[in-house]
Amino acid sequence: EGITVAGGNGEGSNLNQLYQPHGITLDASENLYIADYYNHRIQKWSPGATEGITVAGGNGYGDSPNQLYYTYDVTLDASGNLYIADALNNRIQKWLLGATEGITVAGGIGSGYFSNQLTEPISLDIDSLGNLYIVDHFNHRVQKWVMGQIDSDNDGIGNLCDECPFSTIGEIVDFTGCS
């Protein structure tokens, strides 16, 4: 028999409600982070809590740094920073602990099929090296984004790849940065 640990008070936007929750993740203290899809926010529910705390988004839908637009999934890095699949903004947002706005770390330059674009990312995970794996739903692919690359021209793929050959789907990138 299941036990409700978050929500369960009908759909809605109050702190004790969720509206079509999607992805979840747990931190080391068993706090539950929930991608609250229709509320365009990430809710943190501590063990035994009767309501959540909005830790990202929650400012209506939109593409400003403090907004999200249909949140599908959330994960945490080793430092406790949130990474959010911000589906209709076609981007991944990183929210530092206690931040009031996110930083785009993947996509965010419009919907598209090039290697620096996403089209409705719906799931993500981080490996032990801090690389981000993204389910790029409408491009029918999973992409690996190497975090921390210097990207002086803001093309979304880092300087390692600026001299890479182009293919019909964008720049060709492998684990070394180019192919």
Side-chain angles (χ1 to χ4, degrees), residues 14 16 30-31 50 80 93 103-104 109 117 133 157:
N14 293 323
N16 69 342
E30 296 190 12
N31 294 305
T50 57
Q93 289 291 91
I103 303 161
T104 301
I109 55 173
Q117 293 179 300
Y133 291 80
I157 56 174

Side-chain angles (χ1 to χ4, degrees), residues 72 85 96 117 119 159:
Y72 262 102
L96 303 174
Q117 293 179 300
T119 302
N159 290 346

Side-chain angles (χ1 to χ4, degrees), residues 38-62:
Y38 275 117
N39 284 321
H40 315 286
R41 66 185 182 186
I42 302 299
Q43 291 293 95
K44 175 183 173 182
W45 285 67
S46 299
T50 57
E51 63 182 34
I53 300 166
T54 302
V55 294
N59 300 301
Y61 67 87

